[in-house]
Amino acid sequence: MAEAERIIGTPDTPEAAGAEPERDESVRPRGRRRIAVLFAVAAFAYTLDLVSKLLVVAKLEHHAPIEVFGDWLEFHAIRNPGAAFGFGAAFTVIFTMIAAAVIVVIARLARKLYSLPWAIALGLLLGGALGNLTDRIFRSPGIFQGEVVDFIAPKGFAVFNLADSAIVCGGILIVLLSFRGLDPDGTVHKD
């Protein structure tokens, strides 16, 4: 009978005989690894930002700027209540809420994360958002109104920090991944 089914084209797989299909166990660990990458990148970016700000506050704040490449790049400690270029200084609480919302969105998206490049991009965003959110919560003048410590000062550009750099790099990577058609769940679509 099995020979006749094979000739006719009926599959003789265990599923056809009513048995349970075999499960591919490699799918589950793959997702966990991507989430682990996201949190590892976030932890690295956050730690680097936190340590750099602690050093800047301890060694550079209230001191003359340090020239790194002549007047093209300096380390100059400032406290920024607003966004880039000092915009929105009166909206510190709103920037705090935006950073918190970004963190929640990334945490929810992490459940469906199967793409390594997306894990890296979201990890950079998460680490940067956590870095600036930490300043907004714990630095003066008060909770949810704290000023962000910025210190990287290129000539003719805004003063920024490593959290800002992580956010920008993560954002650029997300744009590139989107243009390539790669989704966070690992699927690729061609439009």
Side-chain angles (χ1 to χ4, degrees), residues 7 34 97 106 112 159 164 175 178 182 185:
I7 294 171
R34 301 314 183 235
M97 289 188 291
I106 292 171
K112 300 175 184 176
V159 181
D164 298 334
V175 169
S178 297
L182 180 63
D185 65 1

Side-chain angles (χ1 to χ4, degrees), residues 29-158:
R30 180 177 172 224
R32 285 189 195 138
R33 270 191 306 246
R34 301 314 183 235
I35 293 171
V37 168
L38 181 147
F39 289 118
V41 170
F44 179 75
Y46 177 70
T47 302
L48 203 59
D49 179 65
L50 188 63
V51 168
S52 69
K53 288 175 180 175
L54 289 172
L55 287 171
V56 165
V57 169
K59 304 287 184 186
L60 188 58
E61 201 167 46
H62 309 296
H63 291 83
I66 297 173
E67 291 184 354
V68 180
F69 293 113
D71 65 346
W72 289 99
L73 178 65
E74 296 179 337
F75 288 159
H76 178 74
I78 65 164
R79 298 287 181 115
N80 184 359
F85 298 100
F87 292 125
F91 301 106
T92 304
V93 173
I94 292 172
F95 294 131
T96 304
M97 289 188 291
I98 290 170
V102 166
I103 292 166
V104 169
V105 168
I106 292 171
R108 290 183 54 99
L109 186 59
R111 294 180 296 155
K112 300 175 184 176
L113 188 62
Y114 287 90
S115 166
L116 180 62
W118 271 94
I120 293 168
L122 292 174
L124 289 169
L125 282 177
L126 180 59
L130 284 169
N132 284 339
L133 183 61
T134 299
D135 282 358
R136 301 268 184 218
I137 293 173
F138 296 110
R139 296 207 187 270
S140 63
I143 295 177
F144 301 115
Q145 298 176 358
E147 297 175 341
V148 174
V149 174
D150 288 334
F151 62 94
I152 303 169
K155 182 178 182 178
F157 195 70

